[in-house]
Amino acid sequence: MGDRPSYQDLVIWQRAIELVPVVYATVKCFPKHEQFAMSDQMRRAVVSIAANIAEGQARQHQKEFLQYLSIARGSLAELHTLLIVAQRLQYISPDQLKHIELLLGEIRKPLRGLAIKLSGPAP
């Protein structure tokens, strides 16, 4: 993969990092009985997105990077699902969910695009 930039130079990683404090602030408003359940799972998922992008980019082989991007996409889907559950349980408002969904979209699309680019031309 040659002279590639640091993971910190990747816009997708930067967006994932920017999402972390948004999710942390959101879960602070959850009921006390959720502080060590769903909110903890959401915090782990949001951190996992950026962490897997970074770890994958730091790997030697493109195939490994693709695997970590796949894991990051899985964490993104997990987080989105938990946010939907939180909204249905009325822990967050529909507007809060929409706002975070926009941020998720700003990560999801380029994440998919990067994976496609790294995969090379389709057979």
Side-chain angles (χ1 to χ4, degrees):
M1 286 172 53
D3 288 337
R4 60 183 175 185
S6 161
Y7 64 87
Q8 293 176 325
D9 296 323
L10 297 172
V11 172
I12 189 66
W13 179 85
Q14 294 168 10
R15 288 180 183 164
I17 285 293
E18 290 167 2
L19 182 62
V20 173
V22 173
V23 171
Y24 269 63
T26 300
V27 300
K28 277 186 180 180
C29 301
F30 281 19
K32 285 235 185 267
H33 67 275
E34 287 294 352
Q35 289 302 311
F36 299 105
M38 187 186 315
S39 60
D40 189 48
Q41 190 172 353
M42 290 172 72
R43 286 190 296 263
R44 284 193 314 270
V46 74
V47 170
S48 177
I49 298 165
N52 279 293
I53 294 167
E55 187 170 355
Q57 192 277 342
R59 295 290 176 148
Q60 287 232 269
H61 301 287
Q62 200 163 290
K63 188 174 181 179
E64 291 176 299
F65 193 7
L66 282 166
Q67 177 63 28
Y68 280 90
L69 291 178
S70 177
I71 295 167
R73 284 195 323 264
S75 294
L76 192 85
E78 176 186 9
L79 176 60
H80 188 212
T81 298
L82 292 165
L83 287 161
I84 291 168
V85 170
Q87 193 276 314
R88 293 197 178 177
L89 294 173
Q90 299 179 348
Y91 297 164
I92 63 174
S93 71
D95 286 343
Q96 285 175 295
L97 177 60
K98 283 182 186 176
H99 171 70
I100 297 174
E101 283 177 330
L102 289 174
L103 299 174
L104 293 174
E106 291 177 1
I107 297 168
R108 183 181 299 110
K109 289 176 186 174
L111 192 56
R112 184 174 181 272
L114 179 57
I116 290 169
K117 179 180 175 185
L118 290 173
S119 296

